[in-house]
Amino acid sequence: MSEYPAYLRDVPVEQHVYGTLSYNRKARCWTIKGEPCVTELAKRLFPGCDGHGRGEARFTAHRRIVGELNWLMLRYPLNIAERDRDRWEQALEDAREYARRRERALNAPETCVPPEGSFRGELLPYQQQGLAFLLGARRCLLADEMGLGKTVQALAFLAVTAAYPAILVVPPHLVRNWQREIGRFLPEHIRVHVIKGLTPYELPPADIYIAHYLLLRGWKDVLPKLGLKTVIFDEMQELRRNGSNKYSAASLLSEACENVIGLSGTPIYNHGGEIWNVVNILDFHFLGDWESFTREWCYGYRSDIVVKPELLGEHLRREGLMLRRVKSDVLTQLQPKRRLVQEIDWDDKVYRELMLPVAEKLRLLRATDDPARRALIEDDICQRQRQATGVAKAPYVAEFVRALLEGGEKVLLMAHHHAVMDIYRRELKGYRPGFITGRETDRQKDEAARAFMAGETNLLCLSLRSASGLNLQRASCVVFGELDWSPAVHSQAEDRAHRIGQQDSLLCYYLVSPRGSDRDMQDALGLKVSQFVSIMGDTPRDKKEDFLLQSQARERIRALVEKLEAESPE
């Protein structure tokens, strides 16, 4: 599309003008000062247009708003203030290009790939379209369903634009994962700093800063003054409620940045108050002010329920503010099983406390040369470290699963230790999970599986080695909160939800901690990248291969214990 819409054409010269249009640099808005007929009409036509009394109307300086202003001036010509003529011409050209890109995206989605050397990875076709959308919109919500790669698309945006310094605002349990993904996909020279604590300090030079949402209130007055060019809000539904210091800080940060990208697999537009708050961070008053939004989109001033949520979603997509793809839209581009390794946070204090008894076990190990006794002690040490690792990260695993459930996923949560399962039971109680862990009767196990398959709950917690024979194809995600030494155990656990011939793509998350036993087990399983196609265990094995795997597991356990010995004082 080479031409722009008719409402963006040049305003013809008229004998009569109705006022002046000028740019308010402090408020960053366009202001009409003119006859009441035009200012009153502007306030009625454009929700969010405000002014200080009679004869004045203010508009946010956004490309879409500039287009609407031009449309108004076709009917009510205004004089552009002399000092602002060049600014207006540039703003109008930006609005025209915005309209062109929006139209192209609606009619034939563009694709884009990062320049060679700027990005270490390959984008699937729909991710290339997502990157083109981000580059065209610059202030928008990428609302792809979970597991479709919002993180990689956002990092590709940074690779293409080099719009640094940038800041990533993420939930606490995803800080480590973003660090890892930056290291995986962006060049080595990209400097990253994770902001610590509520008390501001002098930040070191960096290309990307990472802060979690709970810290925003402490840095509210500092971050907007850093000259940041890009802010990416991960899990942006965290900002669906205003009135908090966190929300106010996010709003100020957004206002100070050229590029504002929200990522959320759970866009909320049934409750108008929530989506209005999110959109207001991305593009101030895109949906008008609160009163006009609730009057026109909802059931009235006291209601925040949108009358036609599908119409609102279509409006956001049509205007280039939101892009959402679900798994069924891109199924042909996906592997039958997608496995993602994601680093999860953990409680270091809990881990250290649970590892205290291991010191005595290590003393006993040093005191014996008997191979059989050494093997028993090594197994005991390994089990204790595995349980300490699982318990230390269990609350963060629960938080991760909570996000999946809120996004509408049906989850199988896999773990090994009863102590870990007890934490899941407590943390996820509100989702009425079922349990098949080896502690239930056959009747209780059957009832848990039936309730999950019948849709009475979307969460079923299973022991890694007690899920054989179950058919749980309703699941859309399998989450491994703990790992096993055997690759086949994981593959068999996945197969509770995935069957040959199934016309779907199963998403399997392997959640690993930064310390403890996970590192060694991760190496044993070959989980060395954030996304991979297959692991050992996908194909049948003979007895010789089984014996080999058991021998390798023994070697891994011995190596793990030797590492603990080296780290432990004599």
Side-chain angles (χ1 to χ4, degrees), residues 421-447:
M421 286 291 188
D422 290 340
I423 296 173
Y424 296 162
R425 188 186 301 272
R426 181 179 69 248
E427 296 289 331
L428 298 167
K429 181 180 179 181
Y431 297 94
R432 298 178 291 109
F435 287 85
I436 301 177
T437 67
R439 291 189 291 189
E440 298 80 15
T441 65
D442 289 343
R443 182 175 179 179
Q444 288 172 326
K445 292 177 183 177
D446 291 343
E447 175 56 25

PDB file of all heavy atoms in Angstrom, residues 421-447:
ATOM      1  N   MET A 421       6.261 -32.527  46.830  1.00  0.00           N
ATOM      2  CA  MET A 421       4.828 -32.596  46.533  1.00  0.00           C
ATOM      3  C   MET A 421       4.001 -31.879  47.601  1.00  0.00           C
ATOM      4  O   MET A 421       2.990 -31.235  47.293  1.00  0.00           O
ATOM      5  CB  MET A 421       4.379 -34.053  46.422  1.00  0.00           C
ATOM      6  CG  MET A 421       4.818 -34.748  45.156  1.00  0.00           C
ATOM      7  SD  MET A 421       3.965 -34.072  43.701  1.00  0.00           S
ATOM      8  CE  MET A 421       4.502 -35.259  42.445  1.00  0.00           C
ATOM      9  N   ASP A 422       4.428 -31.972  48.853  1.00  0.00           N
ATOM     10  CA  ASP A 422       3.689 -31.307  49.932  1.00  0.00           C
ATOM     11  C   ASP A 422       3.703 -29.785  49.746  1.00  0.00           C
ATOM     12  O   ASP A 422       2.718 -29.103  50.047  1.00  0.00           O
ATOM     13  CB  ASP A 422       4.294 -31.676  51.288  1.00  0.00           C
ATOM     14  CG  ASP A 422       4.029 -33.127  51.674  1.00  0.00           C
ATOM     15  OD1 ASP A 422       3.086 -33.725  51.107  1.00  0.00           O
ATOM     16  OD2 ASP A 422       4.769 -33.657  52.521  1.00  0.00           O
ATOM     17  N   ILE A 423       4.821 -29.257  49.243  1.00  0.00           N
ATOM     18  CA  ILE A 423       4.885 -27.813  48.980  1.00  0.00           C
ATOM     19  C   ILE A 423       3.955 -27.452  47.819  1.00  0.00           C
ATOM     20  O   ILE A 423       3.236 -26.447  47.869  1.00  0.00           O
ATOM     21  CB  ILE A 423       6.333 -27.393  48.673  1.00  0.00           C
ATOM     22  CG1 ILE A 423       7.216 -27.624  49.902  1.00  0.00           C
ATOM     23  CG2 ILE A 423       6.388 -25.917  48.239  1.00  0.00           C
ATOM     24  CD1 ILE A 423       8.694 -27.390  49.651  1.00  0.00           C
ATOM     25  N   TYR A 424       3.941 -28.273  46.781  1.00  0.00           N
ATOM     26  CA  TYR A 424       3.018 -28.029  45.667  1.00  0.00           C
ATOM     27  C   TYR A 424       1.571 -28.040  46.169  1.00  0.00           C
ATOM     28  O   TYR A 424       0.743 -27.207  45.761  1.00  0.00           O
ATOM     29  CB  TYR A 424       3.174 -29.095  44.588  1.00  0.00           C
ATOM     30  CG  TYR A 424       4.504 -29.129  43.888  1.00  0.00           C
ATOM     31  CD1 TYR A 424       4.908 -30.255  43.161  1.00  0.00           C
ATOM     32  CD2 TYR A 424       5.380 -28.038  43.932  1.00  0.00           C
ATOM     33  CE1 TYR A 424       6.128 -30.302  42.508  1.00  0.00           C
ATOM     34  CE2 TYR A 424       6.600 -28.077  43.281  1.00  0.00           C
ATOM     35  CZ  TYR A 424       6.969 -29.216  42.569  1.00  0.00           C
ATOM     36  OH  TYR A 424       8.172 -29.261  41.922  1.00  0.00           O
ATOM     37  N   ARG A 425       1.272 -28.994  47.033  1.00  0.00           N
ATOM     38  CA  ARG A 425      -0.092 -29.101  47.549  1.00  0.00           C
ATOM     39  C   ARG A 425      -0.502 -27.826  48.279  1.00  0.00           C
ATOM     40  O   ARG A 425      -1.617 -27.332  48.125  1.00  0.00           O
ATOM     41  CB  ARG A 425      -0.193 -30.308  48.497  1.00  0.00           C
ATOM     42  CG  ARG A 425      -1.613 -30.642  48.948  1.00  0.00           C
ATOM     43  CD  ARG A 425      -1.613 -31.747  49.987  1.00  0.00           C
ATOM     44  NE  ARG A 425      -1.006 -32.967  49.482  1.00  0.00           N
ATOM     45  CZ  ARG A 425      -1.676 -33.915  48.837  1.00  0.00           C
ATOM     46  NH1 ARG A 425      -2.971 -33.767  48.618  1.00  0.00           N
ATOM     47  NH2 ARG A 425      -1.054 -35.007  48.439  1.00  0.00           N
ATOM     48  N   ARG A 426       0.432 -27.293  49.064  1.00  0.00           N
ATOM     49  CA  ARG A 426       0.128 -26.083  49.828  1.00  0.00           C
ATOM     50  C   ARG A 426       0.064 -24.848  48.934  1.00  0.00           C
ATOM     51  O   ARG A 426      -0.866 -24.043  49.031  1.00  0.00           O
ATOM     52  CB  ARG A 426       1.210 -25.889  50.901  1.00  0.00           C
ATOM     53  CG  ARG A 426       0.980 -24.669  51.781  1.00  0.00           C
ATOM     54  CD  ARG A 426       2.051 -24.516  52.839  1.00  0.00           C
ATOM     55  NE  ARG A 426       3.358 -24.160  52.280  1.00  0.00           N
ATOM     56  CZ  ARG A 426       4.415 -24.955  52.282  1.00  0.00           C
ATOM     57  NH1 ARG A 426       4.338 -26.173  52.792  1.00  0.00           N
ATOM     58  NH2 ARG A 426       5.564 -24.537  51.764  1.00  0.00           N
ATOM     59  N   GLU A 427       1.048 -24.679  48.052  1.00  0.00           N
ATOM     60  CA  GLU A 427       1.141 -23.472  47.238  1.00  0.00           C
ATOM     61  C   GLU A 427       0.063 -23.395  46.156  1.00  0.00           C
ATOM     62  O   GLU A 427      -0.335 -22.307  45.740  1.00  0.00           O
ATOM     63  CB  GLU A 427       2.522 -23.398  46.579  1.00  0.00           C
ATOM     64  CG  GLU A 427       3.683 -23.252  47.557  1.00  0.00           C
ATOM     65  CD  GLU A 427       3.720 -21.878  48.205  1.00  0.00           C
ATOM     66  OE1 GLU A 427       3.275 -20.917  47.563  1.00  0.00           O
ATOM     67  OE2 GLU A 427       4.188 -21.789  49.359  1.00  0.00           O
ATOM     68  N   LEU A 428      -0.405 -24.548  45.676  1.00  0.00           N
ATOM     69  CA  LEU A 428      -1.359 -24.577  44.562  1.00  0.00           C
ATOM     70  C   LEU A 428      -2.731 -25.078  44.993  1.00  0.00           C
ATOM     71  O   LEU A 428      -3.532 -25.509  44.161  1.00  0.00           O
ATOM     72  CB  LEU A 428      -0.797 -25.459  43.438  1.00  0.00           C
ATOM     73  CG  LEU A 428       0.523 -24.953  42.834  1.00  0.00           C
ATOM     74  CD1 LEU A 428       1.171 -26.025  41.975  1.00  0.00           C
ATOM     75  CD2 LEU A 428       0.289 -23.691  42.019  1.00  0.00           C
ATOM     76  N   LYS A 429      -3.001 -24.961  46.256  1.00  0.00           N
ATOM     77  CA  LYS A 429      -4.258 -25.473  46.817  1.00  0.00           C
ATOM     78  C   LYS A 429      -5.481 -24.887  46.124  1.00  0.00           C
ATOM     79  O   LYS A 429      -6.483 -25.576  45.892  1.00  0.00           O
ATOM     80  CB  LYS A 429      -4.306 -25.166  48.321  1.00  0.00           C
ATOM     81  CG  LYS A 429      -5.558 -25.662  49.025  1.00  0.00           C
ATOM     82  CD  LYS A 429      -5.506 -25.309  50.512  1.00  0.00           C
ATOM     83  CE  LYS A 429      -6.764 -25.770  51.230  1.00  0.00           C
ATOM     84  NZ  LYS A 429      -6.725 -25.409  52.678  1.00  0.00           N
ATOM     85  N   GLY A 430      -5.407 -23.618  45.765  1.00  0.00           N
ATOM     86  CA  GLY A 430      -6.567 -22.952  45.168  1.00  0.00           C
ATOM     87  C   GLY A 430      -6.976 -23.512  43.813  1.00  0.00           C
ATOM     88  O   GLY A 430      -8.081 -23.230  43.335  1.00  0.00           O
ATOM     89  N   TYR A 431      -6.121 -24.305  43.190  1.00  0.00           N
ATOM     90  CA  TYR A 431      -6.438 -24.874  41.873  1.00  0.00           C
ATOM     91  C   TYR A 431      -6.946 -26.308  41.967  1.00  0.00           C
ATOM     92  O   TYR A 431      -7.101 -26.971  40.957  1.00  0.00           O
ATOM     93  CB  TYR A 431      -5.192 -24.805  40.975  1.00  0.00           C
ATOM     94  CG  TYR A 431      -4.749 -23.396  40.715  1.00  0.00           C
ATOM     95  CD1 TYR A 431      -3.778 -22.791  41.509  1.00  0.00           C
ATOM     96  CD2 TYR A 431      -5.323 -22.629  39.696  1.00  0.00           C
ATOM     97  CE1 TYR A 431      -3.380 -21.483  41.297  1.00  0.00           C
ATOM     98  CE2 TYR A 431      -4.925 -21.325  39.471  1.00  0.00           C
ATOM     99  CZ  TYR A 431      -3.957 -20.755  40.271  1.00  0.00           C
ATOM    100  OH  TYR A 431      -3.577 -19.451  40.049  1.00  0.00           O
ATOM    101  N   ARG A 432      -7.202 -26.765  43.190  1.00  0.00           N
ATOM    102  CA  ARG A 432      -7.765 -28.099  43.448  1.00  0.00           C
ATOM    103  C   ARG A 432      -7.010 -29.202  42.696  1.00  0.00           C
ATOM    104  O   ARG A 432      -7.581 -29.962  41.923  1.00  0.00           O
ATOM    105  CB  ARG A 432      -9.249 -28.138  43.073  1.00  0.00           C
ATOM    106  CG  ARG A 432     -10.100 -27.171  43.882  1.00  0.00           C
ATOM    107  CD  ARG A 432     -11.554 -27.171  43.480  1.00  0.00           C
ATOM    108  NE  ARG A 432     -11.742 -26.594  42.156  1.00  0.00           N
ATOM    109  CZ  ARG A 432     -12.067 -27.288  41.093  1.00  0.00           C
ATOM    110  NH1 ARG A 432     -12.236 -28.592  41.163  1.00  0.00           N
ATOM    111  NH2 ARG A 432     -12.230 -26.686  39.921  1.00  0.00           N
ATOM    112  N   PRO A 433      -5.686 -29.298  42.918  1.00  0.00           N
ATOM    113  CA  PRO A 433      -4.902 -30.285  42.168  1.00  0.00           C
ATOM    114  C   PRO A 433      -5.209 -31.712  42.586  1.00  0.00           C
ATOM    115  O   PRO A 433      -5.575 -31.978  43.738  1.00  0.00           O
ATOM    116  CB  PRO A 433      -3.461 -29.911  42.524  1.00  0.00           C
ATOM    117  CG  PRO A 433      -3.560 -29.285  43.879  1.00  0.00           C
ATOM    118  CD  PRO A 433      -4.859 -28.532  43.872  1.00  0.00           C
ATOM    119  N   GLY A 434      -5.031 -32.615  41.634  1.00  0.00           N
ATOM    120  CA  GLY A 434      -5.070 -34.036  41.941  1.00  0.00           C
ATOM    121  C   GLY A 434      -3.653 -34.539  42.135  1.00  0.00           C
ATOM    122  O   GLY A 434      -2.695 -33.932  41.653  1.00  0.00           O
ATOM    123  N   PHE A 435      -3.501 -35.679  42.845  1.00  0.00           N
ATOM    124  CA  PHE A 435      -2.174 -36.208  43.139  1.00  0.00           C
ATOM    125  C   PHE A 435      -2.115 -37.709  42.873  1.00  0.00           C
ATOM    126  O   PHE A 435      -3.026 -38.459  43.266  1.00  0.00           O
ATOM    127  CB  PHE A 435      -1.790 -35.940  44.601  1.00  0.00           C
ATOM    128  CG  PHE A 435      -1.447 -34.505  44.876  1.00  0.00           C
ATOM    129  CD1 PHE A 435      -2.448 -33.587  45.171  1.00  0.00           C
ATOM    130  CD2 PHE A 435      -0.130 -34.069  44.824  1.00  0.00           C
ATOM    131  CE1 PHE A 435      -2.135 -32.256  45.414  1.00  0.00           C
ATOM    132  CE2 PHE A 435       0.182 -32.742  45.063  1.00  0.00           C
ATOM    133  CZ  PHE A 435      -0.811 -31.829  45.357  1.00  0.00           C
ATOM    134  N   ILE A 436      -1.046 -38.116  42.202  1.00  0.00           N
ATOM    135  CA  ILE A 436      -0.728 -39.533  42.020  1.00  0.00           C
ATOM    136  C   ILE A 436       0.757 -39.647  42.328  1.00  0.00           C
ATOM    137  O   ILE A 436       1.613 -39.419  41.466  1.00  0.00           O
ATOM    138  CB  ILE A 436      -1.028 -40.012  40.585  1.00  0.00           C
ATOM    139  CG1 ILE A 436      -2.506 -39.802  40.252  1.00  0.00           C
ATOM    140  CG2 ILE A 436      -0.655 -41.481  40.431  1.00  0.00           C
ATOM    141  CD1 ILE A 436      -2.883 -40.192  38.831  1.00  0.00           C
ATOM    142  N   THR A 437       1.061 -39.972  43.600  1.00  0.00           N
ATOM    143  CA  THR A 437       2.441 -39.872  44.075  1.00  0.00           C
ATOM    144  C   THR A 437       2.968 -41.140  44.719  1.00  0.00           C
ATOM    145  O   THR A 437       4.104 -41.161  45.180  1.00  0.00           O
ATOM    146  CB  THR A 437       2.552 -38.734  45.106  1.00  0.00           C
ATOM    147  OG1 THR A 437       1.801 -39.094  46.280  1.00  0.00           O
ATOM    148  CG2 THR A 437       2.023 -37.435  44.542  1.00  0.00           C
ATOM    149  N   GLY A 438       2.173 -42.186  44.788  1.00  0.00           N
ATOM    150  CA  GLY A 438       2.613 -43.392  45.479  1.00  0.00           C
ATOM    151  C   GLY A 438       2.092 -43.474  46.893  1.00  0.00           C
ATOM    152  O   GLY A 438       2.226 -44.510  47.549  1.00  0.00           O
ATOM    153  N   ARG A 439       1.483 -42.408  47.398  1.00  0.00           N
ATOM    154  CA  ARG A 439       0.911 -42.427  48.750  1.00  0.00           C
ATOM    155  C   ARG A 439      -0.598 -42.641  48.726  1.00  0.00           C
ATOM    156  O   ARG A 439      -1.206 -42.834  49.774  1.00  0.00           O
ATOM    157  CB  ARG A 439       1.220 -41.099  49.463  1.00  0.00           C
ATOM    158  CG  ARG A 439       2.682 -40.917  49.789  1.00  0.00           C
ATOM    159  CD  ARG A 439       2.936 -39.723  50.682  1.00  0.00           C
ATOM    160  NE  ARG A 439       2.706 -38.446  50.023  1.00  0.00           N
ATOM    161  CZ  ARG A 439       3.030 -37.265  50.534  1.00  0.00           C
ATOM    162  NH1 ARG A 439       3.612 -37.193  51.724  1.00  0.00           N
ATOM    163  NH2 ARG A 439       2.795 -36.160  49.875  1.00  0.00           N
ATOM    164  N   GLU A 440      -1.199 -42.622  47.531  1.00  0.00           N
ATOM    165  CA  GLU A 440      -2.654 -42.738  47.409  1.00  0.00           C
ATOM    166  C   GLU A 440      -3.071 -44.199  47.187  1.00  0.00           C
ATOM    167  O   GLU A 440      -2.285 -45.017  46.684  1.00  0.00           O
ATOM    168  CB  GLU A 440      -3.162 -41.889  46.233  1.00  0.00           C
ATOM    169  CG  GLU A 440      -2.910 -40.397  46.377  1.00  0.00           C
ATOM    170  CD  GLU A 440      -1.491 -40.004  46.013  1.00  0.00           C
ATOM    171  OE1 GLU A 440      -0.796 -40.835  45.394  1.00  0.00           O
ATOM    172  OE2 GLU A 440      -1.065 -38.898  46.372  1.00  0.00           O
ATOM    173  N   THR A 441      -4.301 -44.485  47.528  1.00  0.00           N
ATOM    174  CA  THR A 441      -4.861 -45.798  47.212  1.00  0.00           C
ATOM    175  C   THR A 441      -5.161 -45.847  45.717  1.00  0.00           C
ATOM    176  O   THR A 441      -5.193 -44.818  45.029  1.00  0.00           O
ATOM    177  CB  THR A 441      -6.146 -46.055  48.004  1.00  0.00           C
ATOM    178  OG1 THR A 441      -7.144 -45.098  47.572  1.00  0.00           O
ATOM    179  CG2 THR A 441      -5.918 -45.895  49.510  1.00  0.00           C
ATOM    180  N   ASP A 442      -5.389 -47.065  45.202  1.00  0.00           N
ATOM    181  CA  ASP A 442      -5.729 -47.200  43.792  1.00  0.00           C
ATOM    182  C   ASP A 442      -6.981 -46.398  43.454  1.00  0.00           C
ATOM    183  O   ASP A 442      -7.064 -45.779  42.382  1.00  0.00           O
ATOM    184  CB  ASP A 442      -5.947 -48.676  43.439  1.00  0.00           C
ATOM    185  CG  ASP A 442      -4.639 -49.451  43.437  1.00  0.00           C
ATOM    186  OD1 ASP A 442      -3.569 -48.817  43.381  1.00  0.00           O
ATOM    187  OD2 ASP A 442      -4.693 -50.695  43.511  1.00  0.00           O
ATOM    188  N   ARG A 443      -7.936 -46.397  44.363  1.00  0.00           N
ATOM    189  CA  ARG A 443      -9.176 -45.655  44.115  1.00  0.00           C
ATOM    190  C   ARG A 443      -8.911 -44.154  44.048  1.00  0.00           C
ATOM    191  O   ARG A 443      -9.477 -43.456  43.196  1.00  0.00           O
ATOM    192  CB  ARG A 443     -10.179 -45.971  45.227  1.00  0.00           C
ATOM    193  CG  ARG A 443     -11.529 -45.290  45.030  1.00  0.00           C
ATOM    194  CD  ARG A 443     -12.496 -45.732  46.097  1.00  0.00           C
ATOM    195  NE  ARG A 443     -13.792 -45.069  45.945  1.00  0.00           N
ATOM    196  CZ  ARG A 443     -14.847 -45.288  46.740  1.00  0.00           C
ATOM    197  NH1 ARG A 443     -14.735 -46.152  47.749  1.00  0.00           N
ATOM    198  NH2 ARG A 443     -15.981 -44.649  46.536  1.00  0.00           N
ATOM    199  N   GLN A 444      -8.052 -43.662  44.933  1.00  0.00           N
ATOM    200  CA  GLN A 444      -7.730 -42.231  44.924  1.00  0.00           C
ATOM    201  C   GLN A 444      -6.971 -41.846  43.649  1.00  0.00           C
ATOM    202  O   GLN A 444      -7.203 -40.777  43.079  1.00  0.00           O
ATOM    203  CB  GLN A 444      -6.895 -41.885  46.161  1.00  0.00           C
ATOM    204  CG  GLN A 444      -7.683 -41.908  47.462  1.00  0.00           C
ATOM    205  CD  GLN A 444      -6.796 -41.742  48.684  1.00  0.00           C
ATOM    206  OE1 GLN A 444      -5.653 -42.216  48.705  1.00  0.00           O
ATOM    207  NE2 GLN A 444      -7.322 -41.099  49.721  1.00  0.00           N
ATOM    208  N   LYS A 445      -6.094 -42.717  43.197  1.00  0.00           N
ATOM    209  CA  LYS A 445      -5.368 -42.445  41.955  1.00  0.00           C
ATOM    210  C   LYS A 445      -6.323 -42.382  40.769  1.00  0.00           C
ATOM    211  O   LYS A 445      -6.236 -41.478  39.923  1.00  0.00           O
ATOM    212  CB  LYS A 445      -4.321 -43.529  41.720  1.00  0.00           C
ATOM    213  CG  LYS A 445      -3.176 -43.526  42.719  1.00  0.00           C
ATOM    214  CD  LYS A 445      -2.233 -44.699  42.438  1.00  0.00           C
ATOM    215  CE  LYS A 445      -1.121 -44.773  43.467  1.00  0.00           C
ATOM    216  NZ  LYS A 445      -0.252 -45.956  43.242  1.00  0.00           N
ATOM    217  N   ASP A 446      -7.234 -43.361  40.705  1.00  0.00           N
ATOM    218  CA  ASP A 446      -8.196 -43.386  39.606  1.00  0.00           C
ATOM    219  C   ASP A 446      -9.063 -42.127  39.619  1.00  0.00           C
ATOM    220  O   ASP A 446      -9.374 -41.564  38.556  1.00  0.00           O
ATOM    221  CB  ASP A 446      -9.080 -44.633  39.699  1.00  0.00           C
ATOM    222  CG  ASP A 446      -8.310 -45.915  39.414  1.00  0.00           C
ATOM    223  OD1 ASP A 446      -7.214 -45.824  38.845  1.00  0.00           O
ATOM    224  OD2 ASP A 446      -8.816 -46.998  39.787  1.00  0.00           O
ATOM    225  N   GLU A 447      -9.467 -41.697  40.807  1.00  0.00           N
ATOM    226  CA  GLU A 447     -10.318 -40.511  40.923  1.00  0.00           C
ATOM    227  C   GLU A 447      -9.560 -39.255  40.499  1.00  0.00           C
ATOM    228  O   GLU A 447     -10.117 -38.369  39.830  1.00  0.00           O
ATOM    229  CB  GLU A 447     -10.807 -40.362  42.358  1.00  0.00           C
ATOM    230  CG  GLU A 447     -11.611 -39.082  42.635  1.00  0.00           C
ATOM    231  CD  GLU A 447     -12.818 -38.907  41.723  1.00  0.00           C
ATOM    232  OE1 GLU A 447     -13.341 -39.914  41.204  1.00  0.00           O
ATOM    233  OE2 GLU A 447     -13.236 -37.744  41.539  1.00  0.00           O
TER     234      GLU A 447
END
